[in-house]
Amino acid sequence: TQLLEQSPQFLSIQEGENLTVYCNSSSVFSSLQWYRQEPGEGPVLLVTVVTGGEVKKLKRLTFQFGDARKDSSLHITAAQPGDTGLYLCAGASRDSGYALNFGKGTSLLVTP
Amino acid sequence: DADVTQTPRNRITKTGKRIMLECSQTKGHDRMYWYRQDPGLGLRLIYYSFDVKDINKGEISDGYSVSRQAQAKFSLSLESAIPNQTALYFCATRGGGANTGELFFGEGSRLTVL
């Protein structure tokens, strides 16, 4: 199993601040996905990255896949209370039939 | 109706009992997954299935078994439940490309083993 380490584990910030969440591994992934989970619900996909060095933007969220396809980051600009949730990265590789293995998650709280 | 439905949503049982968690989907996806979620540990893969005849063990399959009764149904069983199997269990389906498809999750089944 390829381990994905996420940092920080917890993050509490005020509305309007910027933040970055990291997802690191010693393994190379064919693709990496970011999900967001709210209490009482299943995770929901935010983005998929497949190419080393790829950068994707989704409104105030910017996702980057490392050049070596071993790491990724999620940057949120001007965080809002609606961004509160658990952010999970998940990697897939051909060795595991592209089954997704998840990191432990970053729990984000944005207060007004 | 939800695309991925899990039953039961909540279950309390005793050590040693057999438990089955059921999952059905209307998305028409071949690939289905069972994950468990514990606080601070993220989602861990238990079993996954690429079609009715293809079932694979995930990271933490010990103590669990599965059955893929049809394309739309994938059940998870605990033959003899133990307290450390207390967790939130998620079923998911995956469409799209093998490498890039999105996971669609059910609402979760919260299991407590006393």
Side-chain angles (χ1 to χ4, degrees), chain A residues 30-31 33 35 37 97-98 100, chain B residues 35 37 50 94 98-99 101 103:
Chain A
S30 303
S31 65
Q33 296 182 327
Y35 288 79
Q37 183 180 20
Y98 301 116
L100 283 163
Chain B
Y35 289 90
Q37 186 172 35
F50 291 152
R94 195 176 191 195
N99 187 34
L103 278 173

Side-chain angles (χ1 to χ4, degrees), chain A residues 1 9 30-31 33 35 37 40-43 45 48 50 86 88 92 96-104, chain B residues 9 31 33 35 37 40-45 48 50 59 88 90 94 98-103 105-107:
Chain A
T1 301
Q9 187 177 0
S30 303
S31 65
Q33 296 182 327
Y35 288 79
Q37 183 180 20
E41 299 181 7
L45 179 69
T48 301
V50 296
L86 179 66
L88 296 154
S96 61
Y98 301 116
L100 283 163
N101 287 295
F102 283 80
K104 295 181 179 180
Chain B
R9 293 290 313 280
R31 289 170 284 167
Y33 305 79
Y35 289 90
Q37 186 172 35
L41 294 180
L43 288 159
R44 291 183 291 167
L45 183 61
Y48 57 104
F50 291 152
E59 177 188 357
L88 181 59
F90 283 102
R94 195 176 191 195
N99 187 34
T100 58
E102 176 179 357
L103 278 173
F105 287 85
E107 293 179 309

Side-chain angles (χ1 to χ4, degrees), chain A:
Chain A
T1 301
Q2 295 108 335
L3 289 176
L4 283 158
E5 296 185 1
Q6 288 189 241
S7 62
Q9 187 177 0
F10 299 100
L11 193 54
S12 181
I13 62 173
Q14 290 194 315
E15 184 175 3
E17 293 184 20
N18 302 332
L19 66 115
T20 302
V21 174
Y22 300 94
C23 176
N24 296 297
S25 176
S26 59
S27 301
V28 176
F29 292 101
S30 303
S31 65
L32 196 140
Q33 296 182 327
W34 284 91
Y35 288 79
R36 178 167 163 264
Q37 183 180 20
E38 296 191 32
E41 299 181 7
V44 175
L45 179 69
L46 294 173
V47 77
T48 301
V49 285
V50 296
T51 304
E54 182 176 4
V55 176
K56 280 192 174 179
K57 292 191 175 184
L58 191 68
K59 297 184 180 179
R60 294 176 294 101
L61 278 60
T62 301
F63 303 86
Q64 185 163 7
F65 201 14
D67 291 341
R69 290 186 287 128
K70 293 183 178 181
D71 56 87
S72 181
S73 63
L74 158 60
H75 181 80
I76 301 179
T77 303
Q80 299 177 358
D83 295 327
T84 293
L86 179 66
Y87 289 82
L88 296 154
C89 66
S93 70
R94 189 164 66 176
D95 292 347
S96 61
Y98 301 116
L100 283 163
N101 287 295
F102 283 80
K104 295 181 179 180
T106 293
S107 181
L108 172 65
L109 174 64
V110 182
T111 54

